[in-house]
Amino acid sequence: MSGTAVRDFAGKKWPKDYPHGLPQKLEDYQSRIRKHSGLNAYIELFDARKDAARIQEKINIKKAGLLAGMIIGLKDNIAYQDHLLTASSSILQNYRSPFSATLTERLLAEDALIIGRHNCGEFAMGSDSSNSFYGLVRNPHNQEYDCGGSSSGSAAAVAAGLCDVAIGTDTGGSVRQPASYCGIFALKPTYGRISRYGIIEHAGSFDQAGILSAHPDDIAKVLHIISGADGKDATASEQPKPEFNLKPFTKHANILVYNNLLQLPGVQNDVKDAFCAFVRKLEKEGHKIHLADFKQTKEMLSAYQVLTSVEAASNLARYDGILYGNQQYDESGKENICQTRSKGFGLLVKQKIMLGTYIAEKQPDLLCAAASFRRSLWESTLRQFEKMDFILSPTTPAPAFRTGSLPSYDDMFLLDLFLIQANLCGIPALSFPAGKSKNGLPLGFQIMAADFQEEKLMSFVNDYCNL
């Protein structure tokens, strides 16, 4: 399958294309997943036949929920009661969750059919898929290329037509980057829009569940169901949730573009040319483009790395083989925690734990400076949205890279160039397909808005992403 796109399932919708109902749709999707197992998007398929039959009965008597017939996959860091939950890590390979995440419960309550677990970066870390305990995920558009990370399996599954919607998580672009590489839509909502209860933490003040789909209207439907306050999560917002109806975007928008970021060496010409063409089309439609310079790129990238490393080191301390994790013993029976963590965590996770621990213990001033910068960036971004409707950029500085050829450690930070402002500030961001590069790989653009403006974001993209 190398070099061949596999998304020949696109556009099939239930019930129109499935006269025999949801059980047939489930069987078709499972057959397709097995056919394209080489993508390694799924690490487990659930036996959902009874659920499909139950939902079909509710459909027949017109008492089904709002998501009845929608097939959804979960990233392997989102809890589903009595199912394995490993965060794609060796240290949790036998862990079975005793409860469901709030978002999982809300999906099930509206009769969504959860089909399986998606492969991901270990503990939702990394800008490629190579650090998963289950192996790398291949890009459906060309299997010689990577899907990005950390929601790699989720993006590949949607792009290949192996589910209708995938639920991932986004700490620093983890649904948007792989969505861009795979040519689909992905929304990172406002921090607190969706409860984090039942999601394995990477960096708690950054993490937010995200939604991936080939259709913006499906993202809107799912967001309406899974968002809202939750007594189990103090960070879940009390903000009322709208219906997220994708109404036509009738006004002329004020759109901010960070012109200087497009000139950085890591931004490839294919991306710049496509982005500039899209901006010109928006101007012809009457939208006002405002150019500005973002002058704190290095500070932003550094603050993100400092803060997420410290939070990750703290969050992952619980995996010691006593309460959580597969305990390892040395020959003397001593230092079991050290053995468990050394053998259970992958290299990237251990690097982040060590960096975060060092900063917290030896460089507290650096931690304070990063937190102060984050506050300053948040305040300046809010001021921009007093005059601007959106901030528009490429999602990534280049299309997908070849499998196994992830850029150098320094260049990896450039992959987050356009992504992490949304996580540092907690604002919503949506990545949408933007054509193809010269070598046929998907490109993606990103649009950000002020807090809790997801409906506005999705309506604009729904109207203008195909200009």
Side-chain angles (χ1 to χ4, degrees), residues 315-328:
N315 288 328
L316 271 61
R318 72 193 69 179
Y319 303 106
D320 55 10
I322 299 174
L323 288 176
Y324 302 101
N326 301 311
Q327 192 174 68
Q328 301 286 334

Side-chain angles (χ1 to χ4, degrees), residues 284-358:
K284 289 181 180 178
E285 291 289 324
H287 302 290
K288 181 67 173 177
I289 304 297
H290 303 262
L291 301 180
D293 286 347
F294 189 93
K295 299 180 179 179
Q296 298 170 301
T297 306
K298 292 182 179 179
E299 292 88 344
M300 180 176 70
L301 294 170
S302 298
Y304 171 80
Q305 185 71 0
V306 166
L307 293 169
T308 56
S309 295
V310 171
E311 291 190 29
S314 175
N315 288 328
L316 271 61
R318 72 193 69 179
Y319 303 106
D320 55 10
I322 299 174
L323 288 176
Y324 302 101
N326 301 311
Q327 192 174 68
Q328 301 286 334
Y329 295 90
D330 66 354
E331 294 180 359
S332 66
K334 299 178 181 179
E335 299 183 352
N336 294 326
I337 292 176
C338 180
Q339 290 288 326
T340 295
R341 292 165 65 80
S342 295
K343 294 180 179 179
F345 288 134
L347 178 61
L348 180 62
V349 173
K350 286 189 279 193
Q351 287 175 337
K352 199 148 194 177
I353 291 172
M354 292 173 68
L355 177 60
T357 302
Y358 173 78

Side-chain angles (χ1 to χ4, degrees), residues 400-423:
F401 45 85
R402 284 188 178 273
T403 296
S405 63
L406 185 68
S408 67
Y409 190 79
D410 289 336
D411 290 340
M412 281 177 61
F413 287 106
L414 290 177
L415 299 180
D416 298 329
L417 178 65
F418 302 110
L419 297 168
I420 60 177
Q421 182 180 5
N423 298 90

Side-chain angles (χ1 to χ4, degrees), residues 57-259:
E57 289 180 4
K58 295 177 72 174
I59 291 170
N60 293 341
I61 61 175
K62 302 187 185 306
K63 290 186 177 181
L66 296 176
L67 300 181
M70 183 178 285
I71 290 183
I72 295 179
L74 297 179
K75 186 175 179 178
D76 187 31
N77 64 344
I78 300 172
Y80 185 7
Q81 186 173 6
D82 298 327
H83 292 74
L84 289 171
L85 176 68
T86 73
S88 293
S89 176
S90 171
I91 204 167
L92 284 175
Q93 61 182 291
N94 297 315
Y95 179 73
R96 195 171 294 273
S97 178
F99 63 92
S100 289
T102 295
L103 71 85
T104 306
E105 291 179 342
R106 291 175 177 175
L107 291 171
L108 295 172
E110 293 297 335
D111 294 320
L113 187 63
I114 299 178
I115 194 173
R117 289 189 293 143
H118 288 152
N119 199 353
C120 65
E122 184 181 11
F123 284 99
M125 296 183 193
S127 297
D128 73 336
S129 64
S130 65
N131 66 322
S132 168
F133 172 68
Y134 302 103
L136 58 84
V137 180
R138 298 189 178 274
N139 195 310
H141 293 270
N142 188 326
Q143 293 191 36
E144 294 179 359
Y145 287 80
D146 203 273
C147 286
S150 63
S151 302
S152 46
S154 300
V158 170
L162 309 182
C163 61
D164 298 320
V165 169
I167 310 297
T169 59
D170 193 308
T171 303
S174 289
V175 299
R176 290 165 286 149
Q177 184 217 30
S180 176
Y181 287 169
C182 291
I184 61 171
F185 297 86
L187 173 70
K188 183 208 84 72
T190 306
Y191 184 82
R193 173 66 89 179
I194 301 171
S195 170
R196 295 185 301 111
Y197 179 77
I199 296 175
I200 293 178
E201 284 191 315
H202 167 183
S205 72
F206 291 80
D207 299 339
Q208 181 61 82
I211 308 169
L212 306 92
S213 180
H215 307 284
D217 57 333
D218 284 345
I219 292 178
K221 290 175 187 175
V222 171
L223 181 62
H224 172 68
I225 297 304
I226 65 176
S227 62
D230 180 18
K232 298 174 182 176
D233 177 11
T235 66
S237 174
E238 300 285 341
Q239 182 89 6
K241 62 177 181 179
E243 292 293 326
F244 299 113
N245 293 320
L246 302 190
K247 301 173 184 176
F249 194 89
T250 56
K251 65 174 286 189
H252 289 153
N254 286 297
I255 302 172
L256 180 64
V257 172
Y258 295 132
N259 188 54

